[in-house]
Amino acid sequence: MTRQQEASFVDAVIVGAGFSGLYLLHRLRGLGFSTRAFERGGDVGGTWYWNRYPGARCDVESMQYSYSFDEALQQDWRWPEKFSAQPDILAYANHVADRFDLRKDITLETTVTAAHFDEGAQRWQVETDAGERVSARFLIMATGCISTAQIPGVEGLSAYEGRTFHTGAWPHEKVDFTGERIAVVGTGSSGIQAIPVLAEQAAHVTVFQRTPNYSLPSQNCPMTGDYERSWKEIYADRREEMRRSFHGSLKDLNDKPALSVSEDERQATYQQRWEIGGTPFLGAFNDLLTSKDANDTAAAFVREQIRKIVKDPVTAELLGPKTYPIGTKRICVDTGYFETYNRDNVALVDIGKKPIERFTPDGLFANGRHYAFDSVVFATGFDAMTGTLFRVDIRGRRGRTLKEKWEAGPRTYLGLMSEAFPNLFMITGPGSPSVKSNMIISIEQHVDLVTGSLVHMRDHGLAVIEPEREAEDGWVEHVQEAANRTLFPLANSWYMGANIPGKPRLFTPYIGGVGRYRQICEQMVADGYKGFRFDAKAATAAPKRTVAV
Ligand code: N01
């Protein structure tokens, strides 16, 4: 009998072996649930496996962007820099996979293509692109929020004869740009990290910018023994503080409104935060993301820094964002980004008013002019939050697809589950703090919540969990209310689905705060899983391991 003709039975299928999938697998195995994990990539690491473009780095500090579930792990691991580069984070993911012996239950280079809920058996029937079929009581999507890269559909691209790359699907072998003329399309976090490094290597870089971005200097530096010790001595306490914080990370948040202080104090505060580096800049005052007047002062400060750094005034003006409040598109953190435009081999082309017209075999036309290139780097982002879920043919009750149900925007209860899709969990799904938080803290919280639910069901003989429609409707409304109290809806951001033509416009993550969200979840559990309904009917008995079908 071939593998294709077998269906294996497990308690849970995990889709994805990034930071969510790895921790899930560890927890589920420890709790005695039989589990299979499938990973599209050739190895573990998720985001950090795919996003290996030059300059890729995390802009949450390494001491905070790491697992907290195992004291020995967090004490043992040494980070070389304050903000870790992609190879170091990927090495960490690999270390975790080996340390906890996770690889044996992960099937690599295998994409889950379909998952249909069988209402009779109360099980998910899962299929992979390798032809394998698995029957699982629980399906857990650990597929990440920004994992489906998008390349814009520009006329003539298929006839372009040079090399093309996407930052989010970077080749695994070294790419050499020495002596090349390259184009970079896109100036989000990825483009802003890649451009300075590409400019050092290539003969010439032309950056095509649709929208300028606010970017803060990272002021990255090697990890010092003192700093590392200051964390490790009280790691457990610090982690607990992070879990209860607004962002899931410890930042010095000022509790004063921006306009409550004098102009001198305001400028000095911004200057100090600029020099410290990174995203704490946005915590300079407590109303930068809720008051437009306050926000304007921070935005003006950053534009002024750009003018000071960039020598050519025309380029400096083009690089200064003016059409949306600072922080409402994902704030970028860079190493020498604006300085790069002072190099002779870097040029900026504004395509904000007129998009790229078309590609030709050796370049592209923009603003009526032809530009010739050897390579094009697309740093054009992702079909975030829902794109990866929709790539799998997920069908819940009555065969309805998730895509159909979410046609007007994602509908979840707590970002964890969606009504009519029983026993299907999402780790950091739409409607949870997810991308508006330190991802690893949010991942750990969701994994603990999901595995806790499974244990609760096992202890109480429950077969099926599903959110109630009213609870889901209430949560969807609350997520939008929380966003509407902020300036976030004012920007055309990927948080709003604005980067994908035809995508519904609404704010997808939960912006009410990591600590508050955790409390809501804890209360939900304390209230007997309020908002969820359970079916106690025993699922069809399943053979222990593998049967012929
Ligand atoms: O993608 P983006 P990203 N023609 O969507 C432009 C995380 N991340 O890969 O702004 C021309 O932010 C688009 O223009 P516009 C982080 O959460 C984290 O950079 O839509 N341009 C924009 O400039 C981040 O937010 C780290 O007008 C087009 C760019 O491409 C998320 O990943 C590092 C275009 C896309 O920017 C995504 O970042 C890197 C078109 N047709 C990333 N379509 C950390 O440090 C799009 N653009 C943790």
Side-chain angles (χ1 to χ4, degrees):
M1 173 158 297
T2 64
R3 185 118 175 112
Q4 277 80 348
Q5 291 166 304
E6 295 173 347
S8 45
F9 286 76
V10 289
D11 292 320
V13 159
I14 298 171
V15 187
F19 280 107
S20 302
L22 291 176
Y23 180 42
L24 253 175
L25 185 53
H26 175 60
R27 290 280 294 151
L28 286 172
R29 270 201 344 210
L31 292 164
F33 292 101
S34 60
T35 308
R36 288 280 305 275
F38 292 98
E39 166 56 55
R40 159 172 83 96
D43 210 337
V44 302
T47 286
W48 301 103
Y49 172 86
W50 295 103
N51 287 268
R52 49 179 81 209
Y53 57 86
R57 170 179 302 284
C58 185
D59 55 17
V60 178
E61 278 191 34
S62 314
M63 296 310 293
Q64 306 199 43
Y65 189 84
S66 45
Y67 287 122
S68 70
F69 70 84
D70 188 271
E71 179 63 14
L73 169 66
Q74 67 180 2
Q75 290 296 338
D76 290 351
W77 189 260
R78 310 282 311 266
W79 294 106
E81 292 178 276
K82 185 173 176 193
F83 294 99
S84 287
Q86 173 271 336
D88 292 318
I89 305 174
L90 187 59
Y92 174 73
N94 276 277
H95 170 77
V96 170
D98 294 332
R99 184 177 181 121
F100 298 102
D101 193 21
L102 301 176
R103 293 185 193 278
K104 62 176 186 263
D105 291 322
I106 303 172
T107 307
L108 298 171
E109 291 183 326
T110 305
T111 300
V112 168
T113 51
H116 297 177
F117 187 68
D118 177 338
E119 293 192 58
Q122 294 179 327
R123 296 182 75 85
W124 282 93
Q125 310 301 339
V126 179
E127 278 181 34
T128 74
D129 63 349
E132 191 175 355
R133 288 190 279 164
V134 182
S135 168
R137 275 189 67 205
F138 300 99
L139 174 66
I140 312 179
M141 302 303 288
T143 39
C145 301
I146 28 184
S147 39
T148 294
Q150 72 112 13
I151 291 185
V154 183
E155 189 193 321
L157 182 55
S158 57
Y160 172 66
E161 289 168 3
R163 300 188 297 172
T164 57
F165 302 90
H166 190 286
T167 48
W170 200 260
H172 286 237
E173 61 281 2
K174 188 169 165 34
V175 183
D176 188 2
F177 292 108
T178 310
E180 286 202 356
R181 298 156 304 168
I182 60 178
V184 179
V185 184
T187 50
S189 298
S190 305
I192 279 178
Q193 287 185 333
I195 288 161
V197 186
L198 294 172
E200 279 172 18
Q201 210 187 88
H204 195 271
V205 175
T206 309
V207 178
F208 291 86
Q209 172 188 272
R210 184 163 74 180
T211 313
N213 239 312
Y214 296 96
S215 188
L216 307 166
S218 70
Q219 314 289 15
N220 187 29
C221 57
M223 182 69 69
T224 65
D226 283 350
Y227 190 69
E228 188 182 356
R229 259 191 309 282
S230 74
W231 272 85
K232 290 191 172 177
E233 274 167 4
I234 45 165
Y235 229 151
D237 295 345
R238 287 264 172 100
R239 297 292 202 181
E240 189 50 26
E241 222 183 306
M242 287 162 65
R243 292 183 192 112
R244 304 282 154 194
S245 69
F246 191 83
H247 297 101
S249 55
L250 297 190
K251 300 182 193 187
D252 177 18
L253 302 179
N254 191 344
D255 59 5
K256 290 183 199 161
L259 300 178
S260 71
V261 302
S262 68
E263 174 68 11
D264 284 355
E265 182 178 338
R266 206 164 37 243
Q267 293 303 318
T269 306
Y270 289 140
Q271 184 63 37
Q272 188 199 19
R273 299 236 169 191
W274 181 266
E275 283 164 20
I276 291 170
T279 56
F281 182 87
L282 289 178
F285 295 101
N286 69 0
D287 55 350
L288 293 185
L289 291 171
T290 51
S291 154
K292 178 74 168 56
D293 290 343
N295 188 289
D296 285 347
T297 65
F301 177 88
V302 173
R303 281 194 296 270
E304 193 49 36
Q305 302 313 302
I306 298 170
R307 285 186 200 107
K308 282 185 194 159
I309 297 169
V310 180
K311 291 189 183 128
D312 174 39
V314 177
T315 306
E317 273 323 292
L318 284 177
L319 288 168
K322 296 171 195 80
T323 55
Y324 59 96
I326 183 171
T328 56
K329 275 164 103 79
R330 166 68 149 73
I331 193 82
C332 300
V333 177
D334 71 272
T335 303
Y337 174 64
F338 294 116
E339 290 82 347
T340 296
Y341 291 92
N342 293 332
R343 295 176 67 110
D344 292 338
N345 69 335
V346 176
L348 182 68
V349 176
D350 174 25
I351 51 166
K353 292 183 197 72
K354 266 177 82 183
I356 292 170
E357 288 153 36
R358 64 192 156 87
F359 274 85
T360 63
D362 65 343
L364 60 82
F365 272 100
N367 300 329
R369 182 186 151 187
H370 186 257
Y371 296 86
F373 301 109
D374 303 300
S375 294
V376 178
V377 173
F378 289 99
T380 43
F382 300 84
D383 187 352
M385 308 303 281
T386 54
T388 310
L389 293 169
F390 290 165
R391 280 210 304 207
V392 183
D393 176 20
I394 296 175
R395 291 169 193 254
R397 293 196 188 280
R398 295 171 292 285
R400 192 178 186 204
T401 66
L402 190 67
K403 200 171 175 179
E404 283 162 358
K405 179 174 172 188
W406 288 7
E407 203 181 357
R411 304 194 70 77
T412 70
Y413 178 42
L414 298 171
L416 269 178
M417 298 191 81
S418 193
E419 179 263 343
F421 294 82
N423 290 3
L424 165 60
F425 293 97
M426 290 159 279
I427 303 299
T428 65
S432 73
S434 59
V435 292
K436 288 312 302 163
S437 70
N438 174 356
M439 283 303 291
I440 300 197
I441 280 289
S442 288
I443 284 169
E444 287 188 328
Q445 187 234 343
H446 262 196
V447 169
D448 292 344
L449 196 55
V450 169
T451 52
S453 310
L454 266 57
V455 170
H456 172 82
M457 291 173 72
R458 183 170 66 187
D459 291 350
H460 294 82
L462 304 169
V464 172
I465 178 172
E466 185 179 346
E468 288 165 354
R469 172 66 78 86
E470 306 71 51
E472 180 170 295
D473 289 349
W475 185 254
V476 169
E477 209 174 299
H478 177 61
V479 169
Q480 293 313 308
E481 271 166 18
N484 290 337
R485 284 197 288 270
T486 71
L487 302 175
F488 280 99
L490 299 182
N492 290 326
S493 66
W494 61 259
Y495 298 139
M496 298 287 295
N499 64 328
I500 303 291
K503 208 169 171 175
R505 285 286 178 104
L506 77 179
F507 196 75
T508 35
Y510 178 55
I511 192 68
V514 166
R516 179 168 149 68
Y517 174 78
R518 178 178 285 269
Q519 266 179 1
I520 292 170
C521 293
E522 285 170 347
Q523 194 58 50
M524 174 277 290
V525 173
D527 291 343
Y529 287 87
K530 192 170 176 198
F532 288 102
R533 64 167 171 266
F534 293 95
D535 186 343
K537 199 164 49 140
T540 309
K544 271 267 175 287
R545 206 57 200 164
T546 304
V547 293
V549 291

